[in-house]
């Protein structure tokens, strides 16, 4: 199963950037969960273009639910989200059939699909595919909230500018839910926007880091081998286009620590075992320990840039130059955060249902 | 399936640190692949203790193959590796039933298994479990070699000391195969050993980074969603105890680059499309592009240290102190590299079989 | 994964009988396979109502493909089929929310989904869901035909009338492809229609047996454990509503044979090993042997009948009587045969891709 | 995953008839379930040879548990069962490398594994492989019993002699648990033994039918698509060597009934909804309805017979004759019943854990 992820709660995605429609099927989520279409729309908006730092392509991204919801609640059977593609300028992409864009999947798609892939706008590899994930994720996020579990992601860095880290996690998550551009420190947000605009003015692009917190996750969820919480989350995160790194807790910084620091001391507080620090990001031995789950995701700079680049011509087997036409973002990190939230929620719903049964969300 | 990983080629592991035996079942690998028991033994040795920088526990780790090999070759049916546990001092571990070790899975195991887990020496969470993976991986590595694909991992950093990066990749991989402690720069190796010894002398431990290269991987392998090559590799890597970060190509450093740098320009060289740089680590859109696959793994410091630590007593629900007895390593990064090689080989065998069929290894 | 079946080639279905739309996502099929929309429409017609022996509900069942097809061929990425629900009379079904229909899934759906299921017309349990399978199956059937593999199913029995068995298998399969009601002996077909009409006149329904042949299947496909060809086919077949039995080769009749008869003697004919008889239905040890694959499927009588029946009232917890309103078939066996063909083709595409790689269909 | 079955509770089997050892890994079962080694041994005995109607091969089939059990209870991590192969006469089988036995998997194994398979005694295809399933199944049966769910299988027919059907199901299941040869009517048992002996005297073999009842299964377990209870059970059952048919409830007989009979009328009895008849075998729409689950399995006659048979010589590509040496059973139906019980218990444990969570067995 290639375009399906999850076991008890699973999501299947479909579509191409310039095809008729894209979407997702969310299967296995318990019956009886309220489906909040306004929240879905709000999440879709967060994924979409924001002002001048994003692509000029503006689609309504209206989500049509064609199955799995009855009288405003989940039925327990597959929920299907369909988003029609409207605003497509396919003529911009003709050249891409034989001139692969550096940093994109054009070349590897051609190797795998022997030239039959829909190359327009990246086809099935397009970041647009994440719209289906966000729609499905919105339902998953609400299912988690019913259990008191919240998820939030901020832009930890973009274009070399760094946000502050998480402080009061439930408060920060709440604040992020209301932001268009998810930066905890508003001054840093302005500097990041400036960095993105500078890259755009150079016909170039920037990347960044996302940092995610999950609050309220019960302990005892995850497996020692091979479906550790880190494994499951990373599997999902690395599906998001442009993600090239993940780390949990202090991640790579742990490699430079000594054990006496990295080990989070255990304490009884208010009758509950907690850790005094959280260098391990809420996960030990692949299993949640009840502390906040913390991870970071590296987002590479958008590969579509206006600058002319070296590439090859697959018709003539000769070297050539390419200037990418069409509309593209000088950064996607601000749009990717809601995708990370969505993917995280989908993974956690699956893990909770595997651990506590499919009715866990309606108990 | 919790202790099973892979689809067409899959590995199942079993055992506890202080149980009767540990091992692995390797299923789905093509029939007819020569099984080199000497190579398996050599790989097991690489995973074992090396001199004074490793634990004093010395097990022969003799691998007994009880199925799936006939006349020196794979039969195509499950290959079972059994390693008896001999040198166990379980009495060292009695206290751990109720005093969870900080940084370990003791607490989360207790939450998940309600006190029925085998707590001796970490039980099923022990790094000792990786012995089965190394045995299975040795067969997978040989299967890949038959296709001209080689894998090698070096200690990029340990205790703050950094090795040089990969240079001539096939040569470096070859050299690593013959090393006990896999550091490309021999001077840095001595400094790392010194850092490990210094930590040990302090009753403490150090972590590190591993860097892996795969050479000869054909293009067109992997999926756009959700089983990207990064997803599949990270899923496996995060199962290895102590791994808290992974990154592909330039990974987190890509977050600070501009697109014009991060995009690997495409060129025809000797009638083949190659990239001029390899910032993306041989993978675009989740699919191999024919360049070397490069990734790094963060290994946290060994959580078992001799220093006294804060913990809780689960019998009395009170805070207490713990001094871990028994034998443990001041570092495991030098032992983990062969586990990373093994896990990588298992993932790639699975991916190749999914893409090209189960007979790919004997074509 | 509940509504997803298959590994390398997988199908996901969604929808409810009286929801907005139903459909399927077909994932993993090789790129470059011609998609014949006329053939899809013809298959959909075979699944639909035929004259007076079928339900009065008449939907165009127009299939819209919204992804995965580009320039008339598969792209290798998910193919999504959407069929809008138009002709729904939901008001007929109000009573079913609390009066479960005997023989249907109404009661078990209520137990599983706690009353949140879409009960209208059987909701997600409706035979209408098979429309998505038929659409996806039509593409799979064409993929198999490209390899010289054909599939055909006839009504072996209905209402106590038995058709002749398969004779010249490739010819019979060809003939079945052109029939509306798939009975090899045209006289028996008239008798079956008479039996169905007699049941309808009694306000009752009849069941039947389907017999399927697969011709041209290469040997060596399937697994000894657990994914035997029989296991995989039966898993898919038992998903079809109303299927309560499956048997391969001579099936249950083998239970009464002696080994000397049941063993199919092996012979070299034209340089190829064949069996002189085919009591084992083309499968030994779970693996295809190159002979035609033969199996039979038991279809229970349509549970929706016009006769009044005993049931319970879930509001009052009292016994009551139910007369099912709405439109329903006195038999579905003639409609189910194309569903069996479709499911069979999907399973075989998956098995072939697992065995020979995803490009098997375009080699 | 070929030799692994199940999702939340999964079993992996390994070994060859004449290799060093066979066995199974049972993964995912909750921690804290008592492991009754005497019961395991008793189940192993039921699977083994019984007097003169079975093969002369006598192995102790001593099961060694090397992981997953601690202080007499499951730990929640993989339980590994190893059974050494002792009494092997491999020299009997040399000819089978090139003379495939009719009705066996010898030919298809050769097609799939290109001659590298372990052909001795059927290798990995041998009925001996079921010993691992019985060992794992014994633990699963006890886990079910803890929930008040019992499973029993009787020989419904053998060599043309038919047993009576189930009467008082819990009583019959209890009685079957104490029988060596599981026939409810003791007179019929003697006739079956006579039929088996008659076949043996002719150098031939007989098959039969098994009928299984599950009592106490809660309602609401199973999926509408594709993992129906019938699909999951059939998938497992068709892995058992010699199974060529399965049917649920009245199965194939339903094909000849009218709906007014086949529909099981619903009634409130003692405040619970039950069905007045059980033609559907406790499953509607793929989901348990709380009534006993009933199914039948067709077992073909043992393919190993003493009579000379037609086969081919794969060295010379010529027709030849074969007389099978070695020891083999004139019937296996009496041994297969405990395998069916075991596989059923494994499937139900998995389904229950998927539905109600992994702790369902210790609640």
């Amino acid at each position: 199963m290639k375009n399906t992820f999850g076991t008890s709660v699973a999501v299947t995605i479909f579509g191409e950037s310039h095809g008729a429609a894209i979407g997702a099927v969310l299967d296995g989520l318990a019956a009886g969960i309220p489906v909040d279409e306004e929240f879905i729309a709000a999440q879709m908006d967060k994924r979409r273009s924001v002002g001048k730092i994003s692509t000029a392509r503006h689609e309504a991204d209206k989500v049509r639910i064609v199955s799995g919801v009855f009288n405003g609640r989940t039925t327990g059977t597959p929920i299907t989200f369909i988003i029609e593609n409207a605003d497509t300028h396919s003529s911009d992409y003709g050249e891409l059939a034989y001139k692969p864009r550096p940093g994109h999947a054009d070349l590897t798609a051609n190797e795998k699909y022997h030239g039959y892939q829909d190359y327009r706008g990246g086809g099935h590899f397009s970041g647009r595919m994440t719209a289906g994930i966000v729609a499905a994720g919105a339902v998953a996020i609400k299912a988690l909230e019913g259990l008191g579990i919240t998820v939030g992601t901020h832009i930890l860095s973009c274009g070399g500018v760094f946000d502050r880290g998480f402080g009061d996690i439930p408060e920060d998550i709440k604040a992020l839910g209301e932001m268009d551009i998810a930066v905890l420190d508003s001054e840093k947000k302005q500097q990041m926007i400036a960095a993105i605009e500078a890259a755009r003015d150079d016909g170039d692009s920037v990347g960044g880091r996302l940092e995610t917190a999950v609050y309220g996750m019960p302990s005892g969820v995850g497996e020692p081998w091979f479906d550790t919480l880190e494994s499951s989350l990373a599997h999902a995160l690395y599906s998001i286009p442009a993600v090239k790194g993940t780390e949990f807790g202090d991640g790579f910084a742990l490699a430079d620590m000594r054990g006496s620091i990295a080990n989070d001391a255990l304490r009884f507080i208010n009758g509950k075992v907690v850790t005094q620090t959280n260098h391990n990001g809420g996960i030990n031995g692949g299993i949640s320990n009840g502390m906040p789950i913390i991870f970071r995701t590296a987002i590479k700079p958008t590969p579509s840039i206006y600058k002319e680049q070296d590439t090859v011509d697959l018709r003539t087997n000769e070297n050539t130059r390419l200037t990418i036409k069409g509309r593209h973002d000088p950064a996607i990190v601000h749009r990717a955060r809601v995708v990370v939230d969505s993917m995280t929620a989908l993974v956690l719903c699956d893990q909770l249902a595997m651990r506590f049964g499919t009715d866990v969300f309606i108990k």
Side-chain angles (χ1 to χ4, degrees), chain A:
Chain A
M1 277 139 308
K2 292 140 186 187
N3 288 275
T4 300
F5 186 69
T7 302
S8 185
V9 176
V11 67
T12 298
I13 60 169
F14 57 84
E16 288 94 26
S17 180
H18 289 65
I22 63 162
V25 182
L26 174 57
D27 189 18
L29 204 62
I33 300 171
V35 175
D36 179 343
E37 301 215 25
E38 275 185 38
F39 179 68
I40 297 174
Q43 292 290 93
M44 297 304 286
D45 280 347
K46 284 184 193 135
R47 199 205 69 88
R48 282 180 60 220
S49 328
V50 185
K52 61 184 175 178
I53 61 169
S54 287
T55 168
R57 178 173 175 178
H58 290 292
E59 300 222 2
D61 278 353
K62 190 167 162 37
V63 178
R64 182 180 171 224
I65 298 180
V66 301
S67 74
V69 178
F70 185 50
N71 296 331
R73 288 176 182 265
T74 57
T75 59
T77 54
I79 309 171
T80 305
F81 307 88
I82 295 177
I83 303 153
E84 302 283 331
N85 284 329
D87 177 24
T88 58
H89 293 196
S90 298
S91 58
D92 291 345
Y93 292 99
E95 198 182 26
L96 303 186
Y98 49 89
K99 279 194 184 179
R101 294 167 300 174
H104 270 286
D106 297 354
L107 181 72
T108 55
N110 198 66
E111 295 284 312
K112 184 174 175 74
Y113 302 117
H114 308 295
Y116 293 108
Q117 71 278 9
D118 182 347
Y119 51 80
R120 297 169 301 166
H124 187 62
F125 293 79
S126 167
R128 178 153 177 75
M129 293 297 298
T130 58
I133 291 167
V134 170
V139 178
I141 286 168
K142 285 292 171 190
L144 291 180
E145 283 181 9
L147 299 182
I149 303 169
T150 55
V151 182
T153 297
H154 73 114
I155 307 173
L156 178 64
S157 84
C158 180
V161 182
F162 276 73
D163 192 16
R164 72 164 169 86
F166 277 105
D168 179 327
I169 288 177
E171 282 305 308
D172 282 348
I173 288 175
K174 206 177 153 213
L176 291 169
E178 288 156 16
M179 291 182 194
D180 271 350
I181 298 182
V183 185
L184 294 168
D185 178 329
S186 59
E187 200 171 320
K188 297 296 183 181
K189 183 191 302 193
Q190 295 314 316
Q191 294 174 23
M192 286 187 197
I193 292 173
I196 295 171
E197 289 176 348
R200 185 205 56 204
D201 293 346
D202 294 347
D204 215 329
S205 65
V206 290
R209 287 168 187 78
L210 294 173
E211 185 174 51
T212 301
V214 179
Y215 190 78
M217 186 71 183
S219 63
V221 179
E223 297 294 331
W225 310 87
F226 289 90
D227 292 343
T228 71
L229 265 191
E230 291 109 330
S231 290
S232 301
L233 285 164
H235 194 133
L237 293 168
Y238 278 118
S239 295
I240 303 173
V243 171
K244 297 295 278 190
T246 61
E247 57 176 8
F248 293 83
D250 289 348
F252 278 90
L254 285 164
D256 300 323
M257 289 182 193
R258 282 198 165 186
S260 55
I261 302 298
N263 290 347
D264 300 307
L266 297 167
R267 294 283 91 179
F268 261 105
I269 295 185
N270 299 329
K272 218 187 131 207
V273 185
V274 299
T275 62
Q276 281 186 308
T277 49
N278 191 14
H279 298 296
N280 286 278
I283 305 172
N284 290 119
I287 298 170
S288 59
N289 66 13
M291 298 298 292
I293 294 174
I294 304 287
F295 57 86
R296 278 170 298 286
T297 310
I299 309 286
K300 72 174 187 175
T302 328
S304 286
I305 56 174
Y306 288 101
K307 280 188 176 171
E308 197 185 41
Q309 298 177 84
D310 279 344
T311 190
V312 293
D313 187 321
L314 297 172
R315 297 170 307 179
T316 61
N317 284 8
E318 285 180 355
N319 291 322
T320 184
R321 302 276 290 167
L322 170 73
T323 304
I324 305 176
K325 296 185 199 75
R327 302 151 299 182
H328 28 263
D329 287 342
I332 53 160
V333 65
H334 56 295
R335 299 176 64 184
R337 64 106 176 190
V338 68
V339 183
V340 168
D341 283 345
S342 299
M343 210 74 116
T344 301
L346 290 163
V347 169
L348 296 183
C349 283
D350 186 30
Q351 293 279 338
L352 288 161
M354 287 299 291
R355 179 73 181 88
F356 300 115
T358 51
D359 285 351
V360 61
F361 303 105
I362 53 172
K363 262 172 193 162

